[in-house]
Amino acid sequence: MEEKAPLLLTIAVLGGTGKEGKGLAYRWAKAGYKVLIGSRTPEKAAHVASEIMEKLEGSSSLVGTSNLEAAQLANIVVLTVPYTAHRDTIENVKDAIKGKLFIDVTVPLVPPKVTKVQMPAAGSAAQEAKAILGDDVQVVAAFQNISHEHLLTDEDVECDVLVTGSSKEARTEALTLVEAAGLTGWDAGPIENSVVVEGLTSVLININKQYGSTHAGIKITGVKK
Amino acid sequence: MEEKAPLLLTIAVLGGTGKEGKGLAYRWAKAGYKVLIGSRTPEKAAHVASEIMEKLEGSSSLVGTSNLEAAQLANIVVLTVPYTAHRDTIENVKDAIKGKLFIDVTVPLVPPKVTKVQMPAAGSAAQEAKAILGDDVQVVAAFQNISHEHLLTDEDVECDVLVTGSSKEARTEALTLVEAAGLTGWDAGPIENSVVVEGLTSVLININKQYGSTHAGIKITGVKK
């Protein structure tokens, strides 16, 4: 009888040269996923990919390329860009991600008032993504509240991940990736609830400012999984 | 030298016959505040006031009356009504709370989809209150995520209180009341951030539903006070 090779999912991290993207790429590569780091500058992406490979002593599969190629070659596409690049990046890769799972990590901060929740007209960055991508793509919002500092280390992250998204199936798939990254995730409901999670980042920045901390987070209490 | 009597603040809890209001009234009366329980039905308010007095063995000051009279006689006015009664109750007491601190506990749930965030046009219930009350009243949003079950007991509440509001002074004053109720509070920023805290209630209801819990809450992590 022929043995089946395990199905290896490929995750594209668009904007993966940024701190948050790099941290997530590191965690998923470490967990055994094939990771494509996408960037507007493929050379930078290739550099970050080899940096992470080195950190993992070559035991992982990471490739750096353009955002578009990364999106084309992946099964799951994760977006970690500053909000100013959100719409353009999604429109650029739109055709490449039909039928795939799209995970939006973007926080729609509006400098200089980053401690004040200021959502786009669509309601949230994730809902804006969904409006651009249409019915062919399941959109999930996740990881907005995690400090990137912790992702590149192997220490426990003392902040849970609230996962909202356009279907229960999509949220469940994203929750698998949350766990693979060594984090605790929660199904936080429909994509309309992403306003809470994206906005929570401004609340946490405000708490950092008021109480002199650098990485305020949240934990869900009162629930046993 | 004449001794000054301590300044005794009076808190009105409008809708104080409901579970959340009753729990808060209990906690504040226990902490030594004079509490006025307001209700559309003053007899019900009087009954709840005497119930709490009994629980505290008469050592406290609680009076039940109408929402309007409670608002007139108090220094601080707290609103704990279902969202359907939100606008009417505020308009009813508007003139009585000029220059006072107004704390809105209302969560704008829209049944039957209470797991989905559905904010009013103003952005949140608290912003709606601010729009009705105008510049004469400082509006704070707080206590939306606390299960009422815990308030009437003396056990520790494993859920923090995120306090947003229209000025830092108002938030600081509200944080004093949070602590007086035996809870941990955080300055969560301007009133625009109330969408996060009010919406978080839908997220927590969704988590309760998905994970079979009854009182999911949140704790802020990574910050030392």
Coordinates of all heavy atoms in Angstrom, one line a residue, chain B residues 51-86:
Chain B
E51 N -34.0 45.0 50.6 CA -33.3 43.7 50.4 C -31.8 43.8 50.6 O -31.2 43.0 51.3 CB -33.6 43.2 48.9 CG -34.5 42.1 48.8 CD -34.4 41.6 47.3 OE1 -33.8 42.2 46.5 OE2 -35.0 40.5 47.0
I52 N -31.2 44.8 50.0 CA -29.8 45.0 50.1 C -29.4 45.4 51.5 O -28.4 45.0 52.1 CB -29.2 46.0 49.1 CG1 -29.5 45.6 47.6 CG2 -27.7 46.3 49.2 CD1 -29.2 46.5 46.5
M53 N -30.2 46.3 52.1 CA -30.0 46.8 53.5 C -30.0 45.6 54.4 O -29.1 45.5 55.3 CB -31.2 47.7 53.9 CG -31.1 49.1 53.3 SD -30.0 50.2 54.2 CE -31.3 50.9 55.3
E54 N -30.9 44.6 54.2 CA -31.0 43.4 55.0 C -29.7 42.6 54.9 O -29.1 42.2 55.8 CB -32.2 42.6 54.6 CG -32.9 41.9 55.7 CD -34.3 41.4 55.2 OE1 -35.2 42.3 55.1 OE2 -34.4 40.2 54.9
K55 N -29.3 42.4 53.6 CA -28.1 41.7 53.3 C -26.8 42.3 54.0 O -25.9 41.6 54.4 CB -27.9 41.7 51.8 CG -27.0 40.6 51.2 CD -27.1 40.5 49.7 CE -25.8 40.1 49.0 NZ -25.4 38.7 49.3
L56 N -26.9 43.6 54.1 CA -25.7 44.3 54.8 C -26.0 44.6 56.3 O -25.3 45.4 56.9 CB -25.5 45.7 54.0 CG -24.8 45.5 52.6 CD1 -24.9 46.8 51.9 CD2 -23.4 45.0 52.7
E57 N -27.0 44.0 56.7 CA -27.4 44.0 58.2 C -27.6 45.5 58.6 O -27.2 45.8 59.7 CB -26.4 43.3 59.0 CG -26.5 41.8 58.7 CD -25.3 41.0 59.3 OE1 -24.4 41.6 59.8 OE2 -25.4 39.7 59.1
G58 N -28.2 46.3 57.8 CA -28.6 47.6 58.2 C -27.5 48.7 58.3 O -27.8 49.8 58.6
S59 N -26.3 48.2 58.0 CA -25.2 49.1 58.2 C -24.9 50.1 57.0 O -23.9 50.6 56.9 CB -23.9 48.3 58.4 OG -23.6 47.6 57.2
S60 N -25.9 50.2 56.2 CA -25.7 51.0 55.0 C -26.8 52.0 54.7 O -27.9 51.9 55.3 CB -25.5 50.1 53.8 OG -26.6 49.2 53.7
S61 N -26.6 52.9 53.7 CA -27.6 53.8 53.4 C -28.1 53.6 51.9 O -27.4 53.9 51.0 CB -27.1 55.2 53.5 OG -27.9 56.2 52.9
L62 N -29.3 53.0 51.8 CA -29.9 52.8 50.5 C -31.4 53.3 50.5 O -32.1 53.0 51.5 CB -29.9 51.3 50.2 CG -28.6 50.7 49.7 CD1 -28.2 49.6 50.6 CD2 -28.8 50.2 48.2
V63 N -31.7 53.9 49.5 CA -33.1 54.4 49.3 C -33.6 54.0 47.9 O -32.8 54.2 47.0 CB -33.2 55.9 49.6 CG1 -34.6 56.4 49.3 CG2 -32.8 56.3 51.0
G64 N -34.8 53.6 47.8 CA -35.4 53.3 46.5 C -36.4 54.4 46.1 O -37.1 54.9 47.0
T65 N -36.3 54.9 44.9 CA -37.2 55.9 44.4 C -37.3 55.9 42.9 O -37.0 54.9 42.3 CB -36.6 57.3 44.9 OG1 -37.5 58.3 44.5 CG2 -35.2 57.6 44.3
S66 N -37.9 56.9 42.3 CA -38.0 57.0 40.9 C -36.6 57.3 40.2 O -35.7 57.8 40.9 CB -39.0 58.1 40.4 OG -38.4 59.3 40.7
N67 N -36.5 56.9 38.9 CA -35.2 57.3 38.3 C -34.9 58.8 38.3 O -33.8 59.2 38.6 CB -35.3 56.8 36.8 CG -35.1 55.3 36.6 OD1 -34.3 54.7 37.4 ND2 -35.7 54.7 35.6
L68 N -36.0 59.6 38.1 CA -35.8 61.0 38.1 C -35.3 61.6 39.4 O -34.4 62.3 39.5 CB -37.1 61.7 37.6 CG -37.0 63.3 37.5 CD1 -35.9 63.7 36.5 CD2 -38.3 63.9 37.1
E69 N -36.0 61.1 40.5 CA -35.6 61.6 41.8 C -34.2 61.2 42.2 O -33.4 61.9 42.8 CB -36.7 61.2 42.9 CG -36.4 62.1 44.2 CD -37.5 61.8 45.3 OE1 -37.6 60.6 45.6 OE2 -38.1 62.7 45.8
A70 N -33.9 59.9 41.9 CA -32.6 59.4 42.2 C -31.5 60.3 41.5 O -30.5 60.6 42.1 CB -32.5 57.9 41.7
A71 N -31.8 60.6 40.2 CA -30.8 61.4 39.4 C -30.7 62.8 40.0 O -29.6 63.3 40.1 CB -31.3 61.5 38.0
Q72 N -31.8 63.4 40.5 CA -31.8 64.7 41.1 C -31.0 64.8 42.3 O -30.2 65.7 42.6 CB -33.3 65.2 41.4 CG -34.0 65.6 40.1 CD -35.5 65.7 40.4 OE1 -36.1 65.1 41.3 NE2 -36.2 66.5 39.5
L73 N -31.1 63.8 43.2 CA -30.5 63.8 44.5 C -29.0 63.3 44.5 O -28.3 63.5 45.6 CB -31.3 63.0 45.5 CG -32.8 63.4 45.7 CD1 -33.5 62.4 46.6 CD2 -32.8 64.8 46.3
A74 N -28.5 62.8 43.4 CA -27.2 62.1 43.5 C -26.1 63.0 42.9 O -26.4 64.0 42.2 CB -27.2 60.8 42.6
N75 N -24.9 62.7 43.3 CA -23.7 63.4 42.7 C -23.2 62.7 41.4 O -22.7 63.3 40.5 CB -22.5 63.4 43.7 CG -22.9 63.9 45.0 OD1 -23.2 63.2 45.9 ND2 -23.0 65.3 45.2
I76 N -23.4 61.4 41.4 CA -23.0 60.5 40.3 C -24.2 59.7 39.9 O -24.8 59.1 40.8 CB -21.8 59.6 40.8 CG1 -20.6 60.5 41.2 CG2 -21.4 58.6 39.7 CD1 -19.5 59.7 41.9
V77 N -24.4 59.6 38.6 CA -25.6 58.9 38.1 C -25.1 57.7 37.2 O -24.4 57.9 36.2 CB -26.5 59.8 37.3 CG1 -27.7 59.1 36.8 CG2 -27.0 61.0 38.2
V78 N -25.5 56.5 37.6 CA -25.1 55.3 36.9 C -26.3 54.7 36.2 O -27.4 54.6 36.8 CB -24.5 54.3 37.9 CG1 -24.1 53.0 37.1 CG2 -23.3 54.9 38.6
L79 N -26.2 54.4 34.9 CA -27.3 53.9 34.2 C -27.2 52.4 33.8 O -26.2 52.0 33.2 CB -27.5 54.7 32.9 CG -28.7 54.3 32.0 CD1 -30.0 54.5 32.7 CD2 -28.7 55.0 30.7
T80 N -28.1 51.6 34.3 CA -28.0 50.1 34.1 C -29.4 49.6 33.6 O -30.1 48.9 34.3 CB -27.6 49.3 35.4 OG1 -28.7 49.5 36.3 CG2 -26.3 49.8 36.0
V81 N -29.7 50.0 32.4 CA -31.0 49.6 31.9 C -30.8 48.8 30.6 O -29.7 48.9 30.0 CB -31.9 50.8 31.5 CG1 -32.4 51.5 32.8 CG2 -31.2 51.8 30.5
P82 N -31.8 48.0 30.2 CA -31.6 47.3 28.9 C -31.5 48.4 27.8 O -32.1 49.5 28.0 CB -32.9 46.5 28.7 CG -33.5 46.5 30.1 CD -33.1 47.7 30.8
Y83 N -30.9 48.1 26.7 CA -30.7 49.1 25.6 C -32.0 49.7 25.1 O -32.0 50.9 24.8 CB -29.9 48.5 24.5 CG -29.6 49.6 23.4 CD1 -28.9 50.7 23.7 CD2 -30.1 49.4 22.1 CE1 -28.7 51.7 22.8 CE2 -29.9 50.4 21.2 CZ -29.2 51.5 21.5 OH -29.0 52.5 20.6
T84 N -33.0 48.9 25.1 CA -34.3 49.4 24.6 C -34.9 50.6 25.4 O -35.6 51.4 24.9 CB -35.4 48.3 24.7 OG1 -35.3 47.6 25.9 CG2 -35.2 47.3 23.5
A85 N -34.4 50.7 26.7 CA -34.9 51.8 27.6 C -33.8 52.9 27.7 O -34.0 53.9 28.4 CB -35.2 51.3 29.0
H86 N -32.7 52.8 26.9 CA -31.6 53.7 27.1 C -31.9 55.1 26.8 O -31.8 56.0 27.7 CB -30.5 53.2 26.1 CG -29.2 53.9 26.3 ND1 -28.7 54.7 25.3 CD2 -28.2 53.9 27.2 CE1 -27.5 55.2 25.6 NE2 -27.2 54.7 26.8

